[in-house]
Amino acid sequence: MDSIKQIYRIGHGPSSSHTIGPMRAANLFLTQVKGLANVAKFEVTLYGSLALTGKGHMTDRAIMSVLNPIHPTEVIFKEDVELAYHPNGMLFRALDTAGKELKTFTVYSIGGGVLANESFNEQTTNELYKLTHISDIIPVLQKYGMSYWEYVERCESPDIWDYLAEIWKVMKSAIKEGLETEGVLPGGLGLRRKASDYMIKAQSYTENLRARGQLYAYALAVSEQNAAGGLVVTAPTCGSCGVIPAVLYYLQETRGFTDTRILHALATAGLFGNVVRTNASISGAEVGCQGEVGVACSMAAAAASQLFGGTLRQIEYAAEMGLEHHLGLTCDPVCGLVQVPCIERNAFAASRALDSYMFANFTDGTHLVSFDRVVTVMNQTGKDLPSLYKETSLGGLATLTDIRNHLSNIDDFAKDEQHSKARGHSERKKRKSVGLC
Ligand code: SF4
């Protein structure tokens, strides 16, 4: 199993598989064409899920931001073609002025910003962890009296704490910036940011309600930053990036946990996310939102349980419940934007993560369905889900026509604005000509 650094990546939203992965792929392609003579332009074809939700997820903009400054780049969307290896396929082509192909590169964004194709897979390049199932890890930890985070420390290089410190810094910045920013999110849905309102309203309630309002506000803040293309941390993906920061920041603010304890909690959460990533998937295009927000909830539940002194079994139970109670969760983002249902879903998952840890810590950790088994079930459920519900925006909430119509109304509004600006401009010209302004 690879490093937990693969779970936590710093990058720009709104989607790890649709922006971070494609940007990394574009950079990789640039290294391949370096020194190649006569390259005049690039052409990038997006397939399957990447093509279907690529516009809303800003995939074209992410790729253009890397390639276009080097050579003129065209991005083509082939929604009706899905390559066999993975639903998120990309073909990069370098062409000369006559359109002759000089270099091609087919690659897949397999979730969490990770890349793979038939000849390489970033997911399996560094085998830092020999054990890949929690049920195999627990007996070892029991034998040596170790915790999950100490196991992470043993398997990773010592720089893991510096790495996680940077991750925690970016997570906190996303919360703070998200709470400070107001206005409408880009994309055309006319969706206003809510985080700062929630934070302000939370202050006027008594302790319990205030705490819950704060938790929501933190999750909304990060997810709204993500939707606006801000800097976030995949945890385990961009679409689900609000859950873990919200839970950890909330616990630090309200219970005073030190940064060191928060980093240990991040390590444990990373271990559980890594097990899912290795044995199943964290890609919405492969298994639906259960693999994104469901896994984020599971990781956050494990982190919270550890912070409150959960045993190995209680932590595993908390993580299991975080995922079990998201089984079957579909991915059906409206208009392909990582906004509805994604943003609110992060707030709900943060809340459910706290419920999962509390529920588990009330028990002695004994439970029937193990974390590993629920991971297997989640993977199979994802395979059984029709592709309509796997980041294609062809089913579920994405088909609500009144919301789609709302989008066209927003476009009309923009046109109206332009029209009235143009009308105002000609009015002013007319007035000027008759000396009125
Ligand atoms: S619905 Fe879930 S999986 Fe789909 S884009 Fe939104 S957060 Fe990601």
Side-chain angles (χ1 to χ4, degrees), residues 3 38 49 202 227-228 246 267-268 334 378 385 392:
S3 170
N38 303 328
S49 166
T268 297
V334 172
M378 186 277 282
L385 276 177
T392 55

Side-chain angles (χ1 to χ4, degrees), residues 57 237 239-240 284 288-289 292-293 330-333 338 341-342 345-346 391:
H57 283 50
T237 62
S240 58
C289 199
E292 295 204 12
V293 170
T330 56
C331 169
D332 49 0
V338 193
C342 322
R345 189 167 282 176
N346 275 258
E391 221 167 20

Side-chain angles (χ1 to χ4, degrees), residues 204-225:
S204 61
Y205 288 109
T206 52
E207 201 180 332
N208 277 350
L209 278 176
R210 179 169 63 238
R212 201 38 66 115
Q214 271 174 255
L215 180 71
Y216 293 153
Y218 299 151
L220 294 172
V222 180
S223 296
E224 287 168 356
Q225 283 298 96

Side-chain angles (χ1 to χ4, degrees), residues 328-344:
L329 192 66
T330 56
C331 169
D332 49 0
V334 172
C335 298
L337 298 160
V338 193
Q339 296 183 12
V340 179
C342 322
I343 295 172
E344 288 177 359

